[in-house]
Every structure is written in structure tokens, then in C-alpha cells.
Amino acid sequence: MRAILAREMDGRRVSGWVWRQRLAVRGALEDAGFGTEARNQNQPRGSRQRSGPLGDQPFPGLLPKNLSREELVDALRAAVVDRKGPLVTLNKPQGLPVTGKPGELTLLSVLPELSQSLGLGERELQVVRASGKESSGLVLLSSCPQTTSRLQKFFIHARRAQRPTATYCAVTNGIPATSEGKIQTALKLEHIDGVNLSVPVKTPSRKDILEGVKKTLSHFRVLATSSGCALVQLQPLTVFSSQLQVHMVLQLCPVLGDHTYSARVGTVLGQRFLLPSESTKSKTQRPEALSRVLGHMPGPWEG
């Protein structure tokens, strides 16, 4: 989902689009006792002029295939957007997993080399907050274990208090019926065709909750619309695998580029409806949905 499901801190132009959302990193740092008045302090000279495998774009977009370990480190260093004391913020490209199997190229696997590349010496970076493999957006890293622990506790407390700690943007195939609202449903992981997929549960029992069913909640707001598509702001207040993708499917407006869950939305005589999750196989979204948006970029969005 290149720039389709994106998490950001400041407005950054992506392929002619202006994402106006916040990751809430800056507010979180201030609430947790870290000032942000000295943005970009202690940044190595010339680091903002570096260009890597992702090019000179301020937003890295899609991770190229067959990237070497050295090229990934260079790309991540070029994607650094903010440094303050022990904290480093970078734009993670879509397609880069945070964790993975031994030997797999992941964000965690290259943190030692990235730390050296940024001149941190023995102070190895740790992940404070990061979006999943299929999302692009900001990653917050820290070279201080105490700072990492402090911020992670802050995010945990904020989530328990149902305060949004991350804001995403998604382009959807379809326009939600209401301009803003909340999506609340229970989800469970179910093994379907050899893959663990998130499946809604209509009326979860206490036994279901004990067995792994989780009540999930997201806020959404339509920012703009064009040609049957919408630019939607999403704020998850809970954490579950593919929560935002499934929530938008329940609105009959799958995220553009979601080839896993979008097949659950069927159409008959122009009317959309939900198909049973258990019997719907994943499939590539129809190209007309993609071309409808690409043909209008940067597009006359109606906000």
C-alpha cells in the first residue's frame, strides 16, 4: 500500500498529495517530559543531503525489492527526519517489516548498523513505536534504554485511556456513508487458506474474549473525496492485526491497495455488501479502482 496507509508527524507531500496528519510523536514527547524545541540538533553535517536507494523524496514510499543490507541502512539513514538527544525519527517505507524470522531483513536486524552509521557508537537504537510492514510512516527510535521504557509506558497508558497515539491516512475505494464517526467491532484471528486473517465477531461471549477475541475501536474522518474515492483520517484506539483495513471493509470502503481484505466487499447492481469473511479468498483489487485515483493525482479533491 504505497502511501495508501500512511502514518506521519508533519504535513509531507507524497506524489502530489499533502498528508496533514500527525503521529502524535511530538505531543507524546512533550507529555512524557521531552521538549521538541531543538529539532534536528546533533544531526551529522550533510545528513539531509544524502540520497539512497529510495531517492531524494522526503517520504520513502515503497521499499524496492532485492535491497542489500548496506543499501537498506543507507536508505534508512537518508529517511531520518528528526533527531533530538537520544531520539531518532525516520520515515519507514512500506514493505519493511519491523521484526521477522532469523536471517530476514527487518528494521530490527539493521539497527546495529544504523546506529553506527548515525555516529551513536555503542549506544544501539531501540524501537519505541513503529507501524507494521504494510504501512509506511514514522518510526520512533531511541538510543537510551531509560527513554525507550519511559515512552513505551506513556504509549501504553495513553492506549488504556483510549487516547489516540497514532494518526493514519488512507485512500479508500468508496466513500463512507458518514463524514466521521467511530468503528467498533470485535475481531479474532482465524487460520484461512494457510494464513492468519482478522475476522469480525458479531456478538462475542465472555468465552470468546478469553480465547483471543478482542474488542476494537477506531475513529475516522473523511478529509476529501474524488471520483468515488476518499481520503480518510484514521485513529486506532486499540491494537489488533490489520485493524484499520478490516474496519474500513466494514464501512464498505476498503483501503486502496488492500489485496487481502477488500475481496470481502461485493457489489450487485451498484450496491455494496459484505461477503462472509470465512469463505472469501483474498484477491488483487480490480485495476479500475487504482486507475480511478491514479488518473486524478494530484486530483481535485473536494474537502
Side-chain angles (χ1 to χ4, degrees):
M1 285 178 285
R2 182 175 184 267
I4 298 302
L5 185 57
R7 178 165 76 168
E8 300 202 25
M9 178 168 61
D10 289 315
R12 296 189 177 276
R13 186 167 295 277
V14 185
S15 302
W17 309 64
V18 177
W19 305 105
R20 297 173 292 173
Q21 309 316 112
R22 289 183 176 274
L23 168 64
V25 167
R26 184 169 301 169
L29 298 182
E30 292 173 350
D31 290 345
F34 298 92
T36 58
E37 65 280 355
R39 295 183 72 234
N40 306 322
Q41 275 189 357
N42 305 321
Q43 185 140 322
R45 182 175 296 177
S47 63
R48 285 193 176 273
Q49 281 70 46
R50 289 174 57 91
S51 62
L54 299 182
D56 297 317
Q57 299 179 26
F59 196 96
L62 186 67
L63 185 71
K65 293 182 178 180
N66 303 319
L67 209 61
S68 70
R69 192 178 188 89
E70 293 75 18
E71 287 175 329
L72 178 58
V73 172
D74 287 343
L76 292 177
R77 177 175 176 176
V80 171
V81 297
D82 191 33
R83 291 187 68 176
K84 170 63 170 68
L87 300 175
V88 176
T89 307
L90 60 84
N91 259 334
K92 183 187 79 67
Q94 185 264 333
L96 176 63
V98 179
T99 61
K101 300 177 182 178
E104 185 179 353
L105 201 59
T106 66
L107 175 63
L108 278 179
S109 72
V110 299
L111 283 184
E113 293 97 321
L114 180 61
S115 302
Q116 291 294 325
S117 178
L118 292 175
L120 297 176
E122 297 181 357
R123 296 174 296 145
E124 188 172 312
L125 288 167
Q126 301 170 312
V127 176
V128 179
R129 290 280 288 179
S131 55
K133 177 180 178 180
E134 298 307 322
S135 298
S136 57
L138 294 184
V139 170
L140 181 62
L141 306 171
S142 169
S143 61
C144 172
Q146 291 78 13
T147 300
T148 302
S149 175
R150 186 175 175 182
L151 284 171
Q152 287 175 339
K153 288 178 181 178
F154 168 81
F155 284 119
I156 290 172
H157 293 155
R159 189 163 60 243
R160 287 175 178 172
Q162 292 199 335
R163 298 202 311 268
T165 60
T167 297
Y168 293 77
C169 272
V171 176
T172 62
N173 180 10
I175 301 173
T178 58
S179 60
E180 61 181 299
K182 64 180 181 180
I183 307 166
Q184 200 165 7
T185 188
L187 296 176
K188 67 176 180 179
L189 284 177
E190 190 163 310
H191 202 66
I192 302 174
D193 293 331
V195 182
N196 285 327
L197 298 176
S198 296
V199 175
V201 180
K202 288 186 178 180
T203 52
S205 63
R206 187 172 182 179
K207 180 182 178 182
D208 291 332
I209 300 297
L210 293 175
E211 293 179 349
V213 174
K214 183 174 181 179
K215 295 180 180 179
T216 61
L217 173 65
S218 300
H219 288 165
F220 76 92
R221 182 163 67 94
V222 177
L223 301 177
T225 61
S226 179
S227 301
C229 295
L231 177 61
V232 182
Q233 170 188 293
L234 294 163
Q235 292 181 317
L237 297 180
T238 53
V239 177
F240 198 85
S241 176
S242 302
Q243 173 177 318
L244 297 180
Q245 290 93 323
V246 176
H247 280 186
M248 292 316 299
V249 163
L250 294 176
Q251 298 297 301
L252 302 178
C253 299
V255 172
L256 203 63
D258 174 14
H259 306 301
T260 301
Y261 297 98
S262 61
R264 296 179 184 178
V265 178
T267 305
V268 172
L269 298 177
Q271 297 299 313
R272 297 189 176 197
F273 62 95
L274 284 176
L275 294 167
S277 303
E278 296 80 358
S279 59
T280 304
K281 293 185 178 181
S282 302
K283 63 179 181 180
T284 302
Q285 275 184 335
R286 292 184 298 179
E288 55 263 33
L290 295 167
S291 62
R292 192 165 65 238
V293 172
L294 295 177
H296 283 78
M297 292 179 69
W301 289 91
E302 300 172 4

